[in-house]
Amino acid sequence: MGLLEFIKDYFLGFWDYETPKVMVVKNKKLGVIYRGVQFLVITYFIWYVFISQKAYQDSETRPESSVYTKMKGTALQGDHVLDMVEYVRPLEGGDVISTILRREVTHNQRQGTCAEHFTVPSANCSKDADCISGEVNVDGNGQRTGRCVPYYNQTFKTCEIQTWCPIEDYAAIWEPALAEAINFTVYIKNAIHFPKFKVLRGNIKPNKRNGQKYLNKCHYNEKKQPYCPIFRLGYIAEQAREKFSELCRTGGVIGVFINWKCDLDLDPSECTPTYSFRRLDLRKNLPSSGYNFRFAKYYSKDGEEFRTLIKAFGIRLDVIVHGHAGRFSIIPTIINTVTAMTSVGICSIICDWIMLTFIDKNDIYSDRKFDDDSKVPSPSQPLTVPIEFTISYGSNHSDLSEGVAL
Amino acid sequence: MGLLEFIKDYFLGFWDYETPKVMVVKNKKLGVIYRGVQFLVITYFIWYVFISQKAYQDSETRPESSVYTKMKGTALQGDHVLDMVEYVRPLEGGDVISTILRREVTHNQRQGTCAEHFTVPSANCSKDADCISGEVNVDGNGQRTGRCVPYYNQTFKTCEIQTWCPIEDYAAIWEPALAEAINFTVYIKNAIHFPKFKVLRGNIKPNKRNGQKYLNKCHYNEKKQPYCPIFRLGYIAEQAREKFSELCRTGGVIGVFINWKCDLDLDPSECTPTYSFRRLDLRKNLPSSGYNFRFAKYYSKDGEEFRTLIKAFGIRLDVIVHGHAGRFSIIPTIINTVTAMTSVGICSIICDWIMLTFIDKNDIYSDRKFDDDSKVPSPSQPLTVPIEFTISYGSNHSDLSEGVAL
Amino acid sequence: MGLLEFIKDYFLGFWDYETPKVMVVKNKKLGVIYRGVQFLVITYFIWYVFISQKAYQDSETRPESSVYTKMKGTALQGDHVLDMVEYVRPLEGGDVISTILRREVTHNQRQGTCAEHFTVPSANCSKDADCISGEVNVDGNGQRTGRCVPYYNQTFKTCEIQTWCPIEDYAAIWEPALAEAINFTVYIKNAIHFPKFKVLRGNIKPNKRNGQKYLNKCHYNEKKQPYCPIFRLGYIAEQAREKFSELCRTGGVIGVFINWKCDLDLDPSECTPTYSFRRLDLRKNLPSSGYNFRFAKYYSKDGEEFRTLIKAFGIRLDVIVHGHAGRFSIIPTIINTVTAMTSVGICSIICDWIMLTFIDKNDIYSDRKFDDDSKVPSPSQPLTVPIEFTISYGSNHSDLSEGVAL
């Protein structure tokens, strides 16, 4: 046999079709188990993977998102009218927006020296020697001058400090909460973009006839007004299962979740967002829970700077956008179908194991399944595993000459 | 046969090698289909999975990113010079930065009472009884005092409200747009870090010789200056396919996308970002499209506070960083090779199905493929499926005694 | 054979169990290779996939996160006391917070005309004709008026510009760094929520007895105080391997990484965060490295506005939260077990290839493995591959009549 013949043989052999030999076992118990497992696997794939998880779709999460927020409403604080510019921080309208609900205001603070608050450790004194000049207490309000002075209009004395005077702990005026804030509204405009699918969606329905008019009047309500992007603070607090009065007292951070689930195989108008609200900061049993921040307004008079210090308790809204889009695609469909078919093959492994372990006649089956090369019989041995042609001997056998030599 | 012998048998059997028996079918049609499907699957894996998707690489997306932005430029608004401190919000230089392009300024607002704007519902009145004291209209500017007053210097009357006076709707001065803003520049510094690969990259090329000088002069241009991190606002608007004059009128949110695609198997200098620009907020047919925000400057005179209210229309730039890095790794290479090999096995399933369904002689093939246990013949039955030794009987058979007993 | 019979046959055949026929090769070399590869694959799955990667768990990354930050401390700048309201930007306490460490202050800037800085290109002049009226230089500070004026109290002249006067480059006062800032503390409150598992965790241990007291005193330290959410700026800089004095000079962006790794199969108290710190902006060899920003305080006197411009160098802390939670789930366990079992099957492919290629007696094996349909012998041919019943002929064979006809 020359090299040429070998190459020819190899080339012809290349076009042969190879398929594993299979043993058929006529056993009802095994058959039922076998088909049962197959059924479970196929059901899992069809129901869970294909229908529920939509594995036939190419998907994209985390769309590019743009959030624009604007708060509206006025409240009366004594004689002072507060409008949005005063109670909203920051004013640029990004995805995090805070509203002030209650303020502790310290008016007319100036750089100077005044008495430290009496609750600060080692602040109480009777003579100057009790106060170390230059010392800065971490919990205190400033640097000590080394003098012991009367505590404002009281009879006891505390160490004098250099700081913004008077100190907040002493001079802050606790304003009542802005009860009207429950009716403040926040307008949330959200546009998303799925770059893979080139799909752009917004949470405001384009409405040519009465768009602006509608937006001026509507308030979001899950059931009645699901397409209105204007949310009452009271509604948000209610949905987040928080008491508004409690929020006014301590402040809090509330997440506004915008969820986009878009099946792009359906009509684009089906791709609308749902909203949910949840308090984000922990509160139970926690010291310093809630949300507050300080800021100041600076003024100048006769060259001297003074400020109004404001400790603000409020609601911080964090707008968080989740998105998922899917559209039919051939590659994931093929891959998941192939995976499903492969997994069905796993049934054989499980059934084999059952067959070879639990069914009584396993020895015989295993012998027939496993062709042991140490037991190749001498030609004279008659015990063989032949394969009979069982079905339709009378069928057309004329083409058998092509490949099979009987 | 004792237990000991059984264990010994089992132990020896453990080291046996098992391989499925395969039937070879010499059928050109089937062979071509079989090899064709195999070829498709292998091509898919080599070309798409390995070359295009780089499945041999371990990959990481979403790098840690740090963005620092700074805007530059001066514009003249009447006699007033606006510099960066006045038209940029917020000033801290994070990944969201707004430039004011046009302002509606209301000077000298003070707390007090004045007439409500005539467009507010139920604001028009002829006598005090038309105005309910204490009422706050959602679309209005403050709380009604219950009086009916002349509308500024007009002859008609509206309800008086307590608010910052005069009201913005009446007193705001519309300033012309900052035409010079088209030449404002924004410097975007971006550093990313892939924690898995410990790779740190920045969008500014370290250039020892003339770095600072280059950064002072250059403007980004996709073709001419791809490594310059300074962007003209006009260029950004142009790339986002927006008219700058239109942006000046309504404002808008533009995304600046920085895309890092790093093949870490190549030279690190290949790992450079590309930039793209796209308008993020929807605009077509939408009421209240665009981007604007209000803020105020507070002053004090003789103990009385007053403010300048500014409604600012502008561009908000959202810098969004995408990143992907890949580097050769042995585990994904093995896993994907194994998946490829398994998938090639799927060909058999498809070809089996074709063979057993469409090819004429399927009965014979299926009989030969399926060894039906109900048809185990009596020892005397002569019809068997023997396997012949066909190739090179003359080869060295001396070692056959090791495992095969002929 | 009628249609009815065919359907009956098909229906009965449906409940047959099919299993591939397997050839057993008694060859130690092959057996050892075969079992060795199997062992490697099984070890990989058990050790790496199941134990190290916890493939039996359903997992969730990217929890919803809420960050609240607050800075504390006072510093003395000459006679001026700086408190948190003055050195922190923005004040709302989000996930990005900047501290000012050093300031360059330009007092009393007013709108007007003054001399351009001499380093600006083409600013030096000797006569009015050198200065083009209306020209705005990109690197300059304002619009030229067309006049050539003396440079403040110097003898040389530069072009006059309309801008905020005096210009910062000339009039800024460089303040020394806030050395006390090394002891400033930042309180970072972080709450996360895994929506899939409905698990809510915070980085502050609820401690009923002395919670607030503990939080007032403690400072985070990886070893001594791992549960304290209050971080000294000096500690952060040290952990990020930065010199604090260097940060004071140029500023910098430092990432505070909060890593949550929660194995929800364990006790919830095991689910605590770890902190790490890393400088985010690149610094080596880079022009304009570091972090600074400008802002201004606006005042009014006799109707004229003036401002204090502050160029602030500082640390920007970006709080970045990573999270991963896992909990036992049946679906990933099944899927990964199936994948493992399938992968073990790959051993056969490798061993087959070895067997058919390198082992001497491959021809014989390959012939026995491959049942070539072109070589189906005539019934009289005696060379067959029979399968012997080898084990326990004395076992109970009475049930064989059910499926196997001997």
Side-chain angles (χ1 to χ4, degrees), chain C residues 121-132:
Chain C
S122 77
N124 293 286
C125 60
S126 52
K127 56 187 182 302
D128 288 358
D130 295 343
C131 300
I132 300 145

Side-chain angles (χ1 to χ4, degrees), chain B residues 16-17 68 70 299 368 386, chain C residues 26 292 305 352 373 377 383:
Chain B
D16 288 349
Y17 169 67
Y68 170 65
K70 198 169 209 169
Y299 308 99
R368 291 196 50 227
Chain C
K26 289 219 174 294
N292 66 70
E305 188 184 36
D352 266 24
D373 73 350
L383 186 62

Side-chain angles (χ1 to χ4, degrees), chain C residues 28-321:
Chain C
K28 281 268 140 50
K29 271 190 236 165
L30 266 178
V32 167
I33 293 167
Y34 180 61
R35 293 294 173 186
V37 174
Q38 272 191 341
F39 178 78
L40 281 181
V41 172
I42 291 168
T43 305
Y44 163 76
F45 269 97
I46 289 178
W47 181 77
Y48 182 77
V49 176
F50 279 87
I51 294 176
S52 167
Q53 299 289 309
K54 293 190 177 143
Y56 59 90
Q57 289 187 332
D58 199 7
S59 73
E60 184 170 26
T61 50
R62 293 172 211 287
E64 292 157 18
S65 164
S66 159
V67 172
Y68 170 65
T69 51
K70 196 168 210 170
M71 214 163 260
K72 208 172 165 184
T74 49
L76 210 66
Q77 187 70 70
D79 279 344
H80 197 86
V81 174
L82 291 175
D83 61 359
M84 177 266 243
V85 173
E86 283 178 280
Y87 61 72
V88 174
R89 305 274 144 163
L91 285 154
E92 291 89 29
D95 54 358
V96 174
I97 192 167
S98 302
T99 335
I100 298 172
L101 297 180
R102 188 168 66 79
R103 304 192 301 181
E104 295 173 18
V105 184
T106 311
H107 292 282
N108 285 316
Q109 279 195 327
R110 274 153 219 266
Q111 290 279 340
T113 56
C114 49
E116 176 66 284
H117 196 249
F118 59 87
T119 58
V120 173
S122 77
N124 293 286
C125 60
S126 52
K127 56 187 182 302
D128 288 358
D130 295 343
C131 300
I132 300 145
S133 173
E135 191 195 25
V136 177
N137 190 296
V138 184
D139 299 319
N141 297 290
Q143 195 185 36
R144 300 201 177 163
T145 59
R147 270 171 302 192
C148 189
V149 293
Y151 185 74
Y152 300 92
N153 298 326
Q154 305 289 318
T155 50
F156 64 91
K157 285 174 156 191
T158 60
C159 289
E160 193 189 49
I161 52 171
Q162 186 179 8
T163 189
W164 288 94
C165 289
I167 58 167
E168 187 189 16
D169 291 334
Y170 163 74
I173 297 160
W174 287 40
E175 292 183 351
L178 297 178
E180 296 100 323
I182 204 166
N183 287 323
F184 287 176
T185 57
V186 58
Y187 166 59
I188 300 175
K189 196 163 77 172
N190 177 222
I192 56 161
H193 178 240
F194 290 100
K196 201 198 273 177
F197 299 125
K198 300 200 188 337
V199 167
L200 198 70
R201 301 289 301 166
N203 69 333
I204 301 170
K205 278 218 156 176
N207 198 329
K208 278 152 200 163
R209 260 179 309 171
N210 56 357
Q212 188 60 59
K213 224 171 169 181
Y214 176 72
L215 288 183
N216 277 344
K217 277 190 300 186
C218 77
H219 286 167
Y220 175 81
N221 187 298
E222 204 184 337
K223 274 152 207 154
K224 291 178 214 153
Q225 306 250 35
Y227 300 118
C228 175
I230 294 169
F231 302 85
R232 267 183 68 243
L233 281 193
Y235 183 82
I236 289 175
E238 188 195 308
Q239 292 290 308
R241 287 181 206 153
E242 295 294 325
K243 269 190 194 165
F244 199 82
S245 57
E246 183 69 17
L247 284 173
C248 287
R249 205 173 58 80
T250 62
V253 181
I254 292 182
V256 176
F257 297 89
I258 307 184
N259 295 288
W260 294 86
K261 275 221 160 180
C262 293
D263 187 341
L264 301 176
D265 295 331
L266 305 178
D267 192 74
S269 67
E270 302 275 321
C271 178
T272 51
T274 56
Y275 302 90
S276 58
F277 309 90
R278 204 172 51 74
R279 182 147 178 188
L280 289 178
D281 60 320
L282 295 166
R283 60 198 179 285
K284 51 175 181 183
N285 301 327
L286 274 181
S288 67
S289 68
Y291 173 70
N292 66 70
F293 61 94
R294 280 186 185 82
F295 66 98
K297 292 180 186 172
Y298 290 86
Y299 307 99
S300 175
K301 197 185 175 184
D302 304 330
E304 195 200 9
E305 188 184 36
F306 65 96
R307 72 177 190 184
T308 301
L309 178 68
I310 297 159
K311 182 175 184 181
F313 294 80
I315 295 178
R316 192 177 85 190
L317 298 177
D318 290 12
V319 182
I320 297 166
V321 178

Side-chain angles (χ1 to χ4, degrees), chain A residues 14 16-17 19-22 24 64 67-68 70 76 79 83 86 92 299 368 371 386-388, chain B residues 21 23 25-26 35 143 162 164 278 291-292 298 305 307 316 352 367 369 371 373 377 381 383:
Chain A
F14 180 81
D16 289 349
Y17 170 65
T19 183
K21 293 194 77 169
V22 168
V24 177
E64 293 158 18
V67 172
Y68 170 63
K70 197 169 210 170
L76 208 67
D79 280 344
D83 61 358
E86 282 178 278
E92 291 90 29
Y299 308 100
R368 292 196 49 227
D371 175 6
I387 290 173
E388 279 182 10
Chain B
K21 293 194 77 169
M23 183 174 74
V25 178
K26 289 219 174 295
R35 293 294 175 188
Q143 195 184 37
Q162 186 179 10
W164 288 93
R278 203 172 51 74
Y291 173 71
N292 65 71
Y298 290 87
E305 188 184 36
R307 71 177 189 184
R316 193 178 85 191
D352 266 24
D367 272 352
K369 180 175 165 67
D371 176 5
D373 72 350
Q381 269 184 306
L383 188 60

Side-chain angles (χ1 to χ4, degrees), chain A residues 33-221:
Chain A
I33 294 168
Y34 180 61
R35 293 295 174 187
V37 174
Q38 272 190 342
F39 179 77
L40 281 180
V41 172
I42 290 168
T43 306
Y44 163 78
F45 269 97
I46 288 177
W47 182 77
Y48 182 78
V49 176
F50 279 88
I51 294 176
S52 167
Q53 300 288 311
K54 294 191 174 141
Y56 60 88
Q57 288 188 333
D58 199 7
S59 74
E60 184 170 27
T61 50
R62 294 171 210 289
E64 293 158 18
S65 164
S66 159
V67 172
Y68 170 63
T69 52
K70 197 169 210 170
M71 213 162 263
K72 207 173 165 184
T74 50
L76 208 67
Q77 188 70 71
D79 280 344
H80 197 88
V81 174
L82 291 175
D83 61 358
M84 178 266 244
V85 173
E86 282 178 278
Y87 60 73
V88 175
R89 306 273 143 165
L91 287 154
E92 291 90 29
D95 53 359
V96 174
I97 191 166
S98 301
T99 336
I100 298 171
L101 297 181
R102 188 168 66 79
R103 305 191 302 180
E104 295 173 18
V105 184
T106 311
H107 292 282
N108 285 314
Q109 279 195 327
R110 274 154 220 266
Q111 291 279 339
T113 58
C114 49
E116 177 65 284
H117 196 250
F118 58 88
T119 59
V120 173
S122 78
N124 292 288
C125 60
S126 54
K127 57 187 184 298
D128 287 0
D130 294 343
C131 301
I132 300 145
S133 172
E135 191 195 23
V136 177
N137 190 296
V138 183
D139 299 320
N141 296 291
Q143 196 185 37
R144 301 202 175 161
T145 58
R147 269 171 300 190
C148 188
V149 293
Y151 185 74
Y152 300 93
N153 297 325
Q154 305 290 319
T155 50
F156 65 92
K157 285 175 155 187
T158 59
C159 289
E160 194 188 50
I161 51 170
Q162 186 179 8
T163 190
W164 287 93
C165 286
I167 57 168
E168 187 189 17
D169 291 332
Y170 163 75
I173 296 161
W174 287 40
E175 292 182 351
L178 297 178
E180 296 101 322
I182 204 166
N183 288 322
F184 286 177
T185 57
V186 58
Y187 165 59
I188 300 175
K189 195 162 78 171
N190 176 222
I192 55 161
H193 179 240
F194 291 101
K196 202 198 271 177
F197 300 125
K198 298 201 189 339
V199 167
L200 198 69
R201 300 290 301 165
N203 69 333
I204 302 170
K205 277 216 157 176
N207 197 330
K208 277 152 199 162
R209 261 178 309 170
N210 56 356
Q212 187 61 58
K213 225 173 171 180
Y214 175 72
L215 288 182
N216 276 344
K217 278 192 297 185
C218 77
H219 286 168
Y220 175 81
N221 187 299

Side-chain angles (χ1 to χ4, degrees), chain A residues 145-339:
Chain A
T145 58
R147 269 171 300 190
C148 188
V149 293
Y151 185 74
Y152 300 93
N153 297 325
Q154 305 290 319
T155 50
F156 65 92
K157 285 175 155 187
T158 59
C159 289
E160 194 188 50
I161 51 170
Q162 186 179 8
T163 190
W164 287 93
C165 286
I167 57 168
E168 187 189 17
D169 291 332
Y170 163 75
I173 296 161
W174 287 40
E175 292 182 351
L178 297 178
E180 296 101 322
I182 204 166
N183 288 322
F184 286 177
T185 57
V186 58
Y187 165 59
I188 300 175
K189 195 162 78 171
N190 176 222
I192 55 161
H193 179 240
F194 291 101
K196 202 198 271 177
F197 300 125
K198 298 201 189 339
V199 167
L200 198 69
R201 300 290 301 165
N203 69 333
I204 302 170
K205 277 216 157 176
N207 197 330
K208 277 152 199 162
R209 261 178 309 170
N210 56 356
Q212 187 61 58
K213 225 173 171 180
Y214 175 72
L215 288 182
N216 276 344
K217 278 192 297 185
C218 77
H219 286 168
Y220 175 81
N221 187 299
E222 205 184 337
K223 275 152 207 154
K224 291 179 216 152
Q225 306 249 35
Y227 301 120
C228 175
I230 294 169
F231 303 85
R232 265 183 69 243
L233 281 194
Y235 182 82
I236 290 176
E238 188 195 309
Q239 292 289 308
R241 287 180 206 155
E242 296 294 325
K243 271 190 192 163
F244 199 81
S245 58
E246 183 68 19
L247 284 173
C248 285
R249 205 174 57 80
T250 62
V253 181
I254 292 181
V256 176
F257 297 89
I258 306 184
N259 296 287
W260 295 86
K261 274 221 159 178
C262 294
D263 187 342
L264 301 176
D265 294 332
L266 305 177
D267 192 76
S269 66
E270 303 275 320
C271 177
T272 51
T274 56
Y275 301 91
S276 58
F277 308 89
R278 205 172 50 73
R279 181 145 178 191
L280 290 178
D281 60 321
L282 295 167
R283 58 198 181 284
K284 50 175 181 183
N285 301 325
L286 273 181
S288 67
S289 68
Y291 172 69
N292 65 70
F293 62 93
R294 281 186 185 81
F295 67 96
K297 291 179 185 174
Y298 290 87
Y299 308 100
S300 177
K301 194 185 176 187
D302 304 329
E304 196 201 9
E305 188 184 37
F306 64 98
R307 73 177 188 184
T308 300
L309 178 68
I310 297 159
K311 183 176 184 181
F313 294 79
I315 295 178
R316 193 177 86 191
L317 298 176
D318 291 12
V319 182
I320 297 166
V321 178
H322 293 297
H324 175 97
R327 181 181 272 168
F328 174 77
S329 173
I330 192 72
I331 284 178
T333 306
I334 290 176
I335 287 174
N336 280 293
T337 308
V338 163
T339 309

Side-chain angles (χ1 to χ4, degrees), chain B residues 14 16-17 19-22 24 64 68 70 76 79 81 83 86 92 299 368 376 386-388 400, chain C residues 21 23 25-26 35 143 162 164 278 291-292 305 307 352 364 367 369 371 373 377 381 383 405:
Chain B
F14 180 80
D16 288 349
Y17 169 67
T19 183
K21 293 194 77 169
V22 168
V24 177
E64 293 158 17
Y68 170 65
K70 198 169 209 169
L76 209 66
D79 279 344
V81 174
D83 62 359
E86 282 178 279
E92 290 89 30
Y299 308 99
R368 291 196 50 227
V376 174
I387 291 173
E388 278 182 13
L400 284 178
Chain C
K21 293 195 76 170
M23 182 175 73
V25 180
K26 289 219 174 294
R35 293 294 173 186
Q143 195 185 36
Q162 186 179 8
W164 288 94
R278 204 172 51 74
Y291 173 70
N292 66 70
E305 188 184 36
R307 72 177 190 184
D352 266 24
I364 293 158
D367 271 353
K369 181 174 166 68
D371 176 7
D373 73 350
Q381 267 184 310
L383 186 62

